[in-house]
């Protein structure tokens, strides 16, 4: 395996003083680093020093608005001040607990849904370096938690909550300035759909418009609603928009069946015999338009439902978006969901196949009964089969694919995951990307909490 560092971000601290957070997505960010060098592994972890985390430690209480939690106000005036801070963004969290990306210029940034929650870290020491400040005047409070990042560009979506729509923006390596490629107007509902992630192809940015829409009223509430910052509007329908990267023009905007997804897997351009693009294929971890998946991630649910089969069903949702002017696209399962236990999330692919036709994806699947994805699964979208790694009593996090330098096969590489055990211990596991057999594991001297998304930083 090549030398380099696997970084994984995620919530890692759910208690401040004697107060316990309620949702998986609320925890203060913890960065884990696995440093691979000449066949040896060293590991470490650190809390990310966000303003929200530092204020909570200093004051022994919640000081910023997290995913589901709102600071308790002492009086009406402080409540009014908090609302003013919400609209200005001042009271929103900068707790960068979702993803971590390596920019084309080498900087490593941890991210979350709020734009202010963009924090630069040192991949070697895991230290917090400082805020990633966007130098443009685009404004807005939130963005996609999962930008598309390559060595040559950074693409993301900025939802517009006032005039419902999305700005599609690009940032060059070495720059902190986002430039607008184009804008997509929403076709339904009172607000944009949640855009936690989105896919791209070689020539297009695909903008999803889910009926799970941002909700300003829910943002204002002191107690979480079942859908937190969102509202389900099935009557507003679901749409997929396709924008040309070069011109910013929208080349397709089609209605699709209702869907719920956190994570898109990949997308590519489907061509006819003459080589003309006739459709966009976009794959996602789709929860059968079931919004209860959000509430199933409450800590009380995750800690108490052992042995119960309460994990909502999921599938590889394959969206076909025609480019011939047709008003509707399709959504169907790309393979039989029973192949992966009807559970599916936290996908990765070989990054060399981003936006290209691809065969393999790596995900967390389900060995039921379970209340949470509990397997590592290699998905073969050509054979429509799955290969599973499973160890009883463990919860593996996102399987991350790292290609072998010089590889010519799509699955020639390794898959890295950090595994939590029910006894509180944990380990890192490395699987062969082709056979999906275990190559190595490294036991940690202490347990680590479940984490979310990672990135690979090759050794220079």
């Amino acid at each position: 395996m090549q030398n380099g560092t696997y970084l994984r971000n995620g919530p890692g601290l759910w208690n401040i003083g004697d107060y316990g957070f309620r949702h998986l997505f609320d925890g203060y960010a913890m960065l884990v680093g696995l440093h691979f060098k000449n066949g040896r592994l060293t590991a470490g972890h650190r809390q990310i020093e966000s303003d929200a985390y530092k204020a909570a430690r200093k004051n022994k209480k919640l000081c910023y608005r997290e995913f589901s939690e709102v600071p308790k106000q002492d009086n009406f005036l402080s409540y009014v001040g908090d609302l003013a801070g919400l609209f200005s963004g001042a009271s929103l969290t900068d707790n960068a607990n979702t993803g971590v990306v390596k920019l084309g210029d080498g900087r490593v940034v941890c991210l979350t849904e709020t734009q202010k929650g963009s924090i630069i870290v040192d991949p070697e020491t895991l230290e917090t370096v400082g805020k990633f400040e966007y130098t443009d005047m685009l404004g807005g409070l939130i963005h996609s938690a999962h930008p598309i990042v390559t060595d040559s560009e950074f693409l993301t979506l900025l939802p517009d909550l006032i005039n419902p729509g999305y700005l599609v923006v690009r940032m060059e390596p070495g720059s902190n300035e986002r430039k607008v490629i184009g804008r997509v107007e929403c076709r339904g509902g009172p607000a944009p759909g949640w855009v936690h992630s989105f896919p791209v192809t070689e020539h297009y940015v695909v903008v999803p418009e889910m009926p799970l829409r941002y909700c300003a009223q829910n943002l204002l509430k002191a107690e979480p609603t079942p859908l937190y910052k969102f509202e389900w509007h099935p009557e507003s329908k679901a749409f997929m928009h396709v924008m040309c990267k070069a011109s910013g023009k929208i080349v397709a905007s089609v209605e699709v069946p209702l869907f719920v997804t956190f994570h898109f897997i990949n997308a590519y351009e489907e061509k006819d015999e003459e080589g003309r693009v006739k459709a966009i294929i976009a794959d996602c971890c789709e929860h059968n338009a079931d919004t209860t998946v959000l509430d199933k991630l409450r800590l009380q649910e995750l800690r108490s439902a052992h042995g119960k089969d309460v994990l909502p069903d999921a599938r590889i949702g394959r969206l076909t978006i025609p480019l011939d002017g047709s008003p509707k696209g399709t959504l169907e399962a790309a393979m039989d969901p029973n192949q992966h236990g009807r559970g599916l999330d936290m996908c990765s692919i070989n990054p060399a196949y981003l936006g290209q036709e691809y065969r393999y994806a790596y995900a967390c699947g389900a060995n039921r009964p379970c209340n949470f994805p509990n397997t590592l699964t290699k998905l073969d979208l050509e054979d429509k089969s799955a290969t599973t790694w499973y160890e009883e009593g463990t919860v593996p996090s996102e399987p991350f694919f790292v290609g072998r330098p010089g590889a010519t096969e799509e699955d020639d590489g390794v898959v890295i995951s950090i595994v939590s055990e029910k006894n509180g211990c944990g380990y890192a596991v490395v699987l062969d990307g082709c056979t999906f057999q275990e190559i190595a594991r490294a036991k940690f001297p202490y347990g680590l909490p479940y984490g979310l998304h990672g990135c690979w930083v090759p050794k220079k």
Side-chain angles (χ1 to χ4, degrees):
M1 166 166 190
Q2 64 172 302
N3 292 342
T5 296
Y6 169 66
L7 297 172
R8 191 199 71 179
N9 192 7
L13 180 67
W14 288 277
N15 289 82
I16 290 298
D18 56 3
Y19 183 75
F21 286 163
R22 287 174 280 195
H23 199 278
L24 178 67
F25 296 165
D26 284 321
Y28 291 115
M30 176 190 287
L31 192 64
V32 179
L34 306 181
H35 306 288
F36 295 87
K37 186 176 181 183
N38 302 330
R40 292 181 63 83
L41 171 65
T42 55
H45 77 280
R46 277 188 118 132
Q47 294 292 140
I48 293 172
E49 300 270 335
S50 64
D51 292 343
Y53 168 72
K54 289 187 290 187
R57 286 205 55 177
K58 179 182 176 184
N59 297 294
K60 303 278 193 295
K61 66 176 184 178
L62 186 73
C63 299
Y64 289 81
R65 288 171 169 263
E66 299 298 336
F67 176 79
S68 77
E69 303 279 346
V70 176
K72 299 283 184 283
Q73 302 303 330
D74 299 327
N75 53 52
F76 182 72
L77 272 180
S78 60
Y79 172 70
V80 172
D82 175 61
L83 289 189
L86 171 62
F87 291 116
S88 70
S91 68
L92 288 180
T93 188
D94 65 340
N95 176 22
N97 69 358
T98 307
V100 54
V101 296
K102 183 183 81 69
L103 303 184
D105 59 21
R107 289 180 293 177
V108 175
V109 181
C110 293
L111 297 160
T112 188
E113 305 265 336
T114 62
Q115 292 187 36
K116 68 192 282 192
S118 305
I119 295 178
I120 304 170
V121 294
D122 184 317
E124 289 294 318
T125 65
L126 311 184
E127 286 179 279
T128 300
V129 175
K131 286 287 178 74
F132 185 95
E133 303 280 2
Y134 299 98
T135 56
D136 51 70
M137 304 301 289
L138 295 178
L141 303 177
I142 53 179
H143 59 181
S144 172
H146 292 284
I148 301 290
V149 182
T150 68
D151 286 342
S152 59
E153 65 183 357
F154 174 109
L155 299 167
T156 195
L157 304 181
L158 309 183
D160 183 343
L161 304 182
I162 308 300
N163 301 303
Y166 314 88
L167 284 182
V168 181
V169 302
R170 173 192 282 120
M171 193 164 64
E172 301 292 328
S175 169
N176 287 36
E177 182 185 1
R178 299 162 300 182
K179 294 181 178 174
V180 177
I181 298 173
R183 180 183 162 93
V184 172
E185 303 293 342
C186 285
R187 287 182 53 185
W194 189 22
V195 283
H196 184 72
S197 69
F198 64 99
V200 300
T201 70
E202 187 178 355
H203 300 104
Y204 301 104
V205 178
V206 183
V207 180
E209 186 182 341
M210 267 200 295
L212 184 62
R213 297 178 181 275
Y214 296 96
C215 176
Q217 291 91 335
N218 285 357
L219 274 170
L220 297 173
K221 289 174 179 166
E223 284 296 313
T225 70
L227 291 180
Y228 303 93
K229 310 287 190 274
F230 313 106
E231 230 173 25
W232 180 241
H233 287 278
E235 76 292 344
S236 72
K237 301 181 180 174
F239 304 93
M240 298 294 286
H241 311 279
V242 180
M243 179 182 288
C244 173
K245 281 186 194 174
S247 69
K249 285 186 179 169
I250 296 165
V251 300
S253 177
V254 304
E255 184 187 340
V256 294
L258 302 183
F259 68 99
V260 168
T261 185
F262 299 157
H263 300 118
F264 280 87
I265 304 168
N266 197 20
Y268 59 91
E269 297 160 17
E270 188 175 61
K271 296 178 180 173
D272 63 17
E273 292 80 10
E274 278 81 48
R276 291 175 301 219
V277 181
K278 64 177 184 177
I280 302 294
I281 308 297
D283 292 340
C284 63
C285 303
E286 205 279 305
H287 300 283
N288 296 290
D290 179 1
T291 59
T292 62
V293 63
L294 263 176
D295 217 38
K296 295 283 192 233
L297 297 177
R298 284 186 301 124
L299 294 174
Q300 183 183 348
E301 287 268 339
L302 296 175
R303 288 167 175 161
S304 66
H306 294 299
K308 295 180 183 173
D309 198 23
V310 293
L311 178 71
D313 282 4
R315 59 181 178 167
I316 303 176
R318 172 155 287 184
L319 291 145
T320 301
I321 308 159
L323 299 190
D324 62 1
S326 301
K328 294 196 173 184
T330 60
L331 169 60
E332 52 200 16
M335 61 189 287
D336 180 353
N338 288 307
Q339 289 278 343
H340 49 77
R342 305 186 322 284
L344 185 79
D345 216 334
M346 315 303 276
C347 263
S348 76
I349 62 166
N350 182 334
Y353 288 76
L354 175 71
Q356 308 288 332
E357 193 164 354
Y358 72 118
R359 178 174 179 175
Y360 301 111
Y362 302 90
C364 291
N367 186 55
R368 292 180 180 270
C370 59
N371 65 328
F372 200 72
N374 60 354
T375 72
L376 298 173
T377 302
K378 178 183 179 181
L379 305 159
D380 185 330
L381 296 169
E382 193 173 291
D383 284 354
K384 304 198 180 300
S385 63
T387 309
T388 296
W389 177 96
Y390 170 71
E391 195 157 281
E392 192 174 349
T394 67
V395 177
S397 63
E398 178 186 61
F400 193 86
F401 181 88
V402 180
R404 187 177 64 82
T408 55
E409 297 297 323
E410 183 181 343
D411 58 353
D412 186 357
V414 298
V415 172
I416 304 168
S417 178
I418 295 175
V419 182
S420 303
E421 297 176 281
K422 65 181 178 185
N423 62 5
C425 299
Y427 55 89
V429 66
V430 179
L431 308 179
D432 184 300
C434 178
T435 65
F436 220 53
Q437 296 297 305
E438 186 172 320
I439 298 171
R441 72 169 66 188
K443 194 96 175 156
F444 298 136
Y446 46 78
L448 290 170
Y450 181 81
L452 299 177
H453 303 283
C455 76
W456 177 254
V457 182
K459 193 76 177 165
K460 291 172 187 157

